[in-house]
Amino acid sequence: MSGLRAIRGDIVHFLGDPADLGADALAHFPDGLLIVRDGLVAGLGPAPDLLPKLPAGTTVDDYRGKLVLPGFIDTHIHYAQTDIVASYGEQVLAWLEKYTYPTERRFADPAHAAAVAEFFCDELLRNGTTTAMAFATVHPASVDALFAAARKRHMRMIAGKVLMDRNCPDFLRDPADGGDAESKALIERWHGRDRLLYAVTPRFAPTSTPAQMALAGRLFADHPGVYLQSHLAENEREVAWVARLYPEARSYLDVYERYGQLGARSVFAHCVWIDDTDRARMSATGAAVSFCPTSNLFLGSGLFDLDRAQAAGVRVGLGTDVGGGTSFSMLQTLNEAYKVQQLRGQRLPVERGFYLATRGGARSLYLDDRIGSFDTGREADLVVLDPAATPLLARRTAVATTLAERLFALMLLGDDRAVAATHILGEPAWRRP
Ligand code: GUN
Ligand code: ZN
């Protein structure tokens, strides 16, 4: 992380949202050089111009022929659900009971938590994801395990202990006062340490009592810079359940707002079944959506309306939602996002897709001043994509004539096999064998 390093390749990043800036949003250096000093971006430009200016002996990673983008940002994932990815047959509420709660129970054992956290962080890196916003479980040691594994790899990680004190098995029930005290201790221990940030994590409105919802809102308000993550309006049955549990609320979103959980740095996964009033409230308060297409399709939840969210000015990032989601790969997540848009009669332009996976995700997390682009001073997390990673990708990209076509082929046909390398703060953190 110290000193100077340079990365050479076909470099692409976003200067802003393609929805606002059009073609000007994308910066492209076909033979580019990214200069990193002490882990931060110090320069970017054409390699032939910049190479002669580098001090002799500077390490240059040569990725010519490959695309170099800012590391992917996964705005919603459950590390404790790694072992139940691809569990058959249920929609979300039954899926939680049948698969999720039993697997999360195992995180009472810190050794199990540590082993899964190590695998999880490696799997993120293998997929080019350098920042994630993750749920742990109700067990405080599960948060310690995840933050320790991320810290060892110098990754950015936002995570928190799940809060749930009703409508869940006894073995995961977390009394409101105890969960509150444990969350405070975890904030003290981890928030702002190296690249780690804490998120207050009420699982979703049905599994918290009003007392716990109020405490979660207070934790969020009382700790500046701390995040809040939850689930919102994923499934129609779940929405109907929330209406029965909170009859006083105008909508599911309104439950979170009533308990002080809506604002900058609060992130709600799914948001499939929300209305225009909800969108306006999210936009006005600065809360963000995590769009989780592989999960929404796998669990049969529904089709998120990206265009309506965008039109309302809501911040949106992409989430894999493993283990409800079916892939750690943000490329596969984009693939399915594209198809969700198609089923809605909408389009997902390739530039907007990669923006959402990088700078847009960073913006949804209020981290675009730190990550998500190669603007000078940003933390130099990056992914190297191989447009010829598989025989089919190689054939398809051989006849591609534009950058957009190559990126689109990666978005539809790519997965972990297309990730040639991942760098954290400039340094290689993973290289494909
Ligand atoms: N709603 C509440 N908890 C969960 C979860 O773990 N996964 C998904 N997809 N939805 C949820
Ligand atoms: Zn989730």
Side-chain angles (χ1 to χ4, degrees):
M1 234 144 313
S2 59
L4 206 59
R5 188 175 192 111
I7 290 102
R8 185 175 189 179
D10 191 345
I11 303 180
V12 176
H13 77 130
F14 291 90
L15 306 173
D17 189 341
D20 302 329
L21 302 181
D24 293 340
L26 192 142
H28 181 208
F29 299 92
D31 181 12
L33 195 75
L34 182 76
I35 300 171
V36 179
R37 186 189 300 280
D38 298 332
L40 306 181
V41 174
L44 172 63
D49 297 351
L50 296 181
L51 278 170
K53 298 181 187 155
L54 282 182
T58 304
T59 301
V60 179
D61 298 292
D62 190 347
Y63 295 123
R64 271 177 287 180
K66 297 189 173 65
L67 286 153
V68 177
L69 284 88
F72 295 137
I73 298 168
D74 184 342
T75 62
H76 183 77
I77 187 164
H78 300 254
Y79 99 86
Q81 295 174 15
T82 300
D83 292 344
I84 55 154
V85 72
S87 288
Y88 177 78
E90 304 297 346
Q91 295 211 346
V92 66
L93 298 178
W95 173 87
L96 286 169
E97 299 283 345
K98 186 167 173 182
Y99 301 113
T100 311
Y101 296 150
T103 210
E104 292 192 7
R105 180 181 199 172
R106 300 183 63 198
F107 288 72
D109 172 8
H112 177 70
V116 177
E118 292 289 318
F119 178 89
F120 174 82
C121 289
D122 286 343
E123 193 64 10
L124 290 176
L125 292 173
R126 255 174 29 77
N127 280 278
T129 298
T130 51
T131 292
M133 181 162 191
F135 273 54
T137 65
V138 296
H139 314 97
S142 76
V143 180
D144 293 332
L146 178 57
F147 277 140
R151 184 167 184 243
K152 202 160 91 183
R153 293 163 178 78
H154 307 290
M155 296 171 75
R156 261 211 182 276
M157 185 68 68
I158 308 172
K161 176 200 129 58
V162 170
L163 301 168
M164 51 177 169
D165 67 344
R166 66 164 163 173
N167 296 320
C168 61
D170 288 344
F171 56 77
L172 290 178
R173 193 156 302 156
D174 173 44
D177 51 349
D180 186 58
E182 288 170 352
S183 300
K184 280 187 186 133
L186 287 163
I187 291 169
E188 290 298 313
R189 193 164 337 142
W190 293 109
H191 182 67
R193 188 167 168 192
D194 298 335
R195 305 183 77 197
L196 311 174
L197 296 161
Y198 194 80
V200 178
T201 307
R203 176 168 219 119
F204 65 155
T207 49
S208 287
T209 57
Q212 187 171 60
M213 290 292 277
L215 284 171
R218 196 162 314 145
L219 274 176
F220 180 48
D222 287 350
H223 295 86
V226 158
Y227 288 76
L228 183 136
Q229 59 182 345
S230 196
H231 297 91
L232 169 62
E234 174 177 8
N235 172 291
E236 283 184 291
R237 278 228 201 104
E238 171 213 8
V239 174
W241 190 24
V242 170
R244 290 196 299 277
L245 290 169
Y246 297 90
E248 69 286 2
R250 189 200 65 80
S251 69
Y252 192 163
L253 178 88
D254 187 46
V255 175
Y256 293 115
E257 182 155 27
R258 281 162 181 260
Y259 291 105
Q261 298 182 18
L262 219 56
R265 288 180 309 283
S266 64
V267 178
F268 294 92
H270 310 304
C271 304
V272 173
W273 304 99
I274 58 172
D275 64 16
D276 279 336
T277 306
D278 295 328
R279 291 182 188 94
R281 290 309 301 152
M282 293 192 84
S283 175
T285 58
V289 174
S290 179
F291 172 26
C292 303
T294 77
S295 171
N296 295 159
L297 296 174
F298 178 71
L299 293 175
S301 302
L303 306 174
F304 173 67
D305 197 330
L306 179 61
D307 285 5
R308 259 186 130 84
Q310 188 183 321
V314 181
R315 290 171 188 249
V316 180
L318 281 174
T320 60
D321 193 31
V322 162
T326 50
S327 176
F328 276 79
S329 169
M330 293 299 282
L331 296 173
Q332 278 306 294
T333 303
L334 285 170
N335 168 12
E336 301 215 344
Y338 181 84
K339 293 168 185 171
V340 167
Q341 290 287 94
Q342 282 280 40
L343 286 167
R344 279 207 163 272
Q346 299 171 3
R347 287 194 178 151
L348 179 60
V350 65
E351 296 83 2
R352 178 150 178 79
F354 279 93
Y355 168 77
L356 288 174
T358 58
R359 191 176 189 130
R363 184 171 177 276
S364 78
L365 302 176
Y366 292 81
L367 286 173
D368 44 328
D369 59 340
R370 315 289 277 277
I371 55 171
S373 74
F374 295 139
D375 291 353
T376 302
R378 299 298 178 274
E379 297 163 4
D381 294 343
L382 59 93
V383 55
V384 182
L385 296 176
D386 179 1
T390 68
L392 183 61
L393 259 172
R395 269 192 91 82
R396 181 61 186 88
T397 48
V399 293
T401 55
T402 62
L403 171 67
E405 261 186 284
R406 271 183 301 147
L407 285 172
F408 193 60
L410 280 163
M411 167 166 150
L412 271 289
L413 307 175
D415 53 28
D416 54 330
R417 294 168 297 176
V419 176
T422 304
H423 288 225
I424 295 283
L425 297 172
E427 304 284 321
W430 189 78
R431 277 202 168 111
R432 195 177 58 187

